[in-house]
Structure formats: C-alpha cells, structure tokens
Amino acid sequence: MIYFVSRHEGAVEWIKQQPQWQVDCFVRHLDPAVVQPGDVVLGTLPLHLAAEVCARGAAFYFLTLAQTEAGRGSEYSVNDMLRLGCALQRFEVQAL
C-alpha cells in the first residue's frame, strides 16, 4: 500500500503528476497503526510519526520543497511546487 500524507491540495495534485508513484490512499493525517511492513508512506509527517512508520517496516519518503521562511505555511500550486524543485527523498527515521 502506498500512502500520501498532506493537507495541501497542491501537493496532492503534484504527486498525481508523478508517473513513478501510484498512490493507493490519500490522507490528511496518518494513523501509523494502519501501516504494514512493506508499505510506502510519502509526504510530510512529524518526526515521531515518521519514526513509528519506519519501525513498522514501511519506507518513508519526505516531501521536500526549497522554500523561504516567509513562504512557510503558504499554499503552493502545482506550478509553484515544480518551480521550487519539489521532490521526494527517502529517510530512515529512528527514535533514540
């Protein structure tokens, strides 16, 4: 199962344009208890939830976006995201 986690419509539209990803489930908030070994979680999560996803045997790809401080919290369109170099980067997160 591939999950995409974001509350931003521009991000949802962006991932739909990425042919290498066939998302099964779009969510605004992920309950890590539903994640199974071998699942893939794409998007944005707080560190503690990303660590739980990884501990459950799933792969986590963080949605990266080169933005300025002033741009934080803004709603970006698909074109904005492309212009800012939006990408997915895999992270292995572990609570210590």
Side-chain angles (χ1 to χ4, degrees), residues 3-72:
Y3 296 91
F4 185 77
V5 184
S6 181
R7 62 182 182 83
H8 299 284
E9 288 304 315
V12 171
E13 292 307 314
W14 177 84
I15 193 64
K16 288 179 178 179
Q17 293 182 10
Q18 306 309 304
Q20 68 272 35
W21 296 107
Q22 299 301 313
V23 175
D24 299 304
C25 185
F26 293 89
V27 295
R28 295 174 62 86
H29 176 81
L30 180 72
D31 176 359
V34 303
V35 175
Q36 301 294 313
D39 285 350
V40 176
V41 177
L42 313 171
T44 55
L45 290 175
L47 283 176
H48 69 287
L49 294 182
E52 190 171 343
V53 162
C54 292
R56 296 180 70 80
F60 173 60
Y61 289 79
F62 185 70
L63 184 68
T64 62
L65 185 67
Q67 58 184 326
T68 64
E69 182 180 354
R72 292 191 51 152

